[in-house]
Amino acid sequence: MASSTPVAVLLISFFTIHLLLAPSTSAITCSDVIKDLKPCLNYLKSGSGSPPSDCCAGASSLVSSATSTADKQAACACLKTAAKSISFKPELAKSLPGKCGISLPYPISPSVDCSKVT
C-alpha cells in the first residue's frame, strides 16, 4: 500500500523553497496552508461522500487565518501550486468548501488567477 508520506515531504519541500524565494507581505505561509489541509489529501485524491472532520477543521482554520487580501492571495498561490503538483479529483476540490461549511474566495485549481483574489 502506497504511503502519502513521500507526497507530503515533496509538497513541504517545494513550498519551503517557494516560500524562501518569493517575498510576501502576508502573515500566512505555505507551511500553514499545508499543515491545515494535509488531512484533506487522501480525500481529494480518492475520496467520496463527505470529507473527514479533520479535513474540514483544517480548511476552516485556513479560512480563519487568511483574513487579509495578501493572506488570501498567498494561500491561493500555495493551493494553486499544490494543485499542479498532485493528482486529485477536481470535483472533490470544488465541492470541499461547501461540504465543510466554509467559503473560499477562490477555487482549488491549478488555473486560478490568485492576483484577483480579494
Side-chain angles (χ1 to χ4, degrees):
M1 180 174 197
S3 171
S4 65
T5 302
V7 173
V9 170
L10 179 63
L11 286 173
I12 291 169
S13 299
F14 180 80
F15 288 130
T16 301
I17 291 168
H18 178 72
L19 181 64
L20 293 173
L21 296 177
S24 174
T25 59
S26 66
I28 197 166
T29 66
C30 284
S31 296
D32 297 328
V33 174
I34 292 168
K35 178 185 62 123
D36 287 341
L37 295 183
K38 186 176 178 185
C40 300
L41 189 60
N42 287 336
Y43 172 76
L44 292 173
K45 289 170 61 176
S46 59
S48 62
S50 296
S53 60
D54 57 343
C55 169
C56 288
S60 181
S61 175
L62 174 61
V63 169
S64 295
S65 61
T67 56
S68 70
T69 297
D71 286 340
K72 292 174 188 175
Q73 289 177 345
C76 175
C78 292
L79 290 173
K80 178 177 180 174
T81 301
K84 290 178 181 178
S85 302
I86 61 172
S87 176
F88 66 95
K89 293 181 177 180
E91 67 278 5
L92 292 176
K94 182 178 180 179
S95 67
L96 182 69
K99 287 184 176 183
C100 287
I102 60 170
S103 177
L104 284 178
Y106 48 83
I108 301 172
S109 166
S111 61
V112 64
D113 183 353
C114 295
S115 68
K116 293 184 179 179
V117 174
T118 57

